[in-house]
Amino acid sequence: MTMLRSVILGCGSALPAQVLTNQELAAKVDTTDEWIVQRTGIRQRHIAADGELTSDLAIQAAKAALANAHVDPQTIDLIVLGTSTPDNTFPATAVTVQAGLGITRGAAFDLQAVCSGFVYALSITDGLLRTGTYTRALVIGAETFSRILDWKDRTTCVLFGDGAGAVVVEAQQQPGEKTDRGILTTHLRSDGRHKSKLYVDGGPSSTMTVGHLRMEGRAVFKHAVAMITDVIEDAFRATGYTASDIDWFVPHQANKRIIDDSAHKLGIAPEKVVITVDQHGNTSAASIPLALNAAVRDGRIKKGDLVLLEAMGGGFTWGSALIRW
Ligand code: ACO
């Protein structure tokens, strides 16, 4: 029996022009290129210019995705934007993106799940498309984490960067089989008991300020691999696929050691893992679509490939998505 599936039609990304290397950072805080590379795999990150907003990056990424998908913006009826660094407390940055694209129909909203924002946004969009509520969506992850970093705290400021990525997703009738194109399964989880391990120490209701990112790095690391592998096992159980069926593993790009450990534990071969954390640092909700776009543009991810996404971040929140590209 045929069924509606959310098929990815195209992707795009955007990065600020300014690059900040580890060496440049080492001139500002007490750190070294060697320490950062060895502990995280990060070599550089992009930093938004003064006045360059999350919405600017999101609009640029969305336009690139629409062009890649050969889709007219006027056919988009849903925009879901994963971000923890919105332009303003309200309205949602997604409506700025909507206006920037000249779209006046459908709905646009932000989704806040920190580094899991893109997987959460994709999952929610999948639900709305498969029920027939909307037909064509833009799913975006966009961040300017440089704005909420404490640039005097070497334990956090070396890890993050700015950027945006987007995909165009369309509801399409598919045969209703394991080999269907589109999002095959998504799994979202959260556990608020861990909220003090990775948070921002400000907000409209608590301090009336924006605040700075605070993290217990070791505690995050300790939980990350177990949570990531757990939610990926859920995706395998739901679909009957196994690690050996995966063509490309596109994990959240937080730390190369977390990525390597997760892939190893799952039995995913290193050559199937897409890595961009060396170039972008951790761009939170933007990291997966940035990595996806890199692997699509250089010809690695092709139509029909089985692509596995995972993310884990503040909250904690975590999730997985298995997609036939
Ligand atoms: N440069 C040099 N030295 C540093 C730096 C730095 N930037 N930061 C910390 N150190 C020092 C510490 O002060 C400590 O020194 P000490 O031994 O004299 O006390 C030493 O390095 C080791 O510190 P640890 O925090 O134990 O280092 P660890 O090996 O755990 O690495 C890191 C830190 C990279 C943050 C790691 O814990 C990690 O990757 N955690 C996961 C965090 C993460 O990825 N968060 C992203 C958001 S969540 C997500 O997206 C999954």
Side-chain angles (χ1 to χ4, degrees):
M1 202 173 69
T2 64
M3 65 181 287
L4 273 178
R5 296 269 199 198
S6 309
V7 174
I8 312 250
L9 300 181
C11 58
S13 68
L15 288 161
Q18 190 195 338
V19 171
L20 180 64
T21 64
N22 289 350
Q23 285 88 351
E24 288 166 322
L25 249 183
K28 297 179 189 190
V29 284
D30 182 17
T31 190
T32 61
D33 175 52
E34 193 191 6
W35 191 96
I36 301 171
V37 172
Q38 195 211 342
R39 304 284 174 132
T40 71
I42 297 167
R43 294 182 183 277
Q44 61 168 50
R45 70 287 294 142
H46 291 249
I47 303 292
D50 288 347
E52 190 173 24
L53 307 184
T54 295
S55 60
D56 296 324
L57 296 170
I59 290 168
Q60 214 183 314
K63 284 182 175 170
L66 290 163
N68 179 247
H70 305 290
V71 158
D72 179 347
Q74 296 309 325
T75 64
I76 297 291
D77 56 6
L78 176 67
I79 300 173
V80 185
L81 171 62
T83 189
S84 300
T85 45
D87 293 0
N88 298 91
T89 303
F90 78 78
T93 301
V95 301
T96 303
V97 174
Q98 186 188 29
L101 296 172
I103 301 170
T104 52
R105 64 199 283 263
F109 62 92
D110 288 359
L111 193 152
Q112 217 278 53
V114 204
C115 299
S116 309
F118 184 76
V119 171
Y120 264 64
L122 202 61
S123 177
I124 298 306
T125 300
D126 180 42
L128 290 168
L129 291 180
R130 282 191 299 109
T131 55
T133 314
Y134 298 95
T135 57
R136 251 186 195 178
L138 265 169
V139 181
I140 308 169
E143 304 278 16
T144 47
F145 256 52
S146 61
R147 310 277 204 252
I148 55 164
L149 296 176
D150 176 351
W151 287 98
K152 293 191 180 72
D153 176 11
R154 67 175 182 172
T155 68
T156 53
C157 76
V158 303
L159 301 174
F160 296 89
D162 302 336
V167 293
V168 179
V169 192
E170 179 182 72
Q172 283 184 9
Q173 287 292 344
Q174 291 283 312
E177 289 162 9
K178 208 175 152 179
T179 50
D180 283 357
R181 275 193 80 200
I183 298 171
L184 302 178
T185 192
T186 64
H187 300 267
L188 303 182
R189 306 264 281 274
S190 64
D191 186 345
R193 288 175 301 174
H194 299 289
K195 69 176 187 171
S196 63
K197 295 187 178 78
L198 177 51
Y199 69 105
V200 169
D201 62 5
S205 160
S206 55
T207 60
M208 295 177 286
T209 62
V210 173
H212 291 114
L213 183 148
R214 306 292 174 204
M215 181 175 72
E216 294 172 31
R218 255 189 211 175
V220 174
F221 199 106
K222 201 181 95 194
H223 286 89
V225 177
M227 288 175 162
I228 289 164
T229 51
D230 200 34
V231 80
I232 288 174
E233 298 290 357
D234 285 348
F236 289 156
R237 261 192 297 278
T239 56
Y241 284 116
T242 65
S244 58
D245 297 313
I246 302 302
D247 293 302
W248 297 106
F249 179 40
V250 188
H252 168 50
Q253 308 282 321
N255 181 313
K256 187 159 184 308
R257 286 192 297 155
I258 295 176
I259 295 173
D260 289 347
D261 288 0
S262 307
H264 179 75
K265 198 171 162 200
L266 288 158
I268 298 173
E271 60 272 17
K272 292 182 174 182
V273 184
V274 176
I275 305 272
T276 49
V277 69
D278 55 331
Q279 297 300 306
H280 305 157
N282 182 348
T283 57
S284 188
S287 94
I288 291 175
L290 272 164
L292 267 177
N293 187 59
V296 168
R297 299 293 168 133
D298 69 18
R300 276 178 289 174
I301 297 179
K302 293 181 287 299
K303 196 172 167 181
D305 282 352
L306 196 57
V307 179
L308 175 65
L309 315 182
E310 65 76 6
M312 185 255 178
F316 292 144
T317 55
W318 64 111
S320 64
L322 191 57
I323 304 166
R324 173 84 54 196
W325 201 259

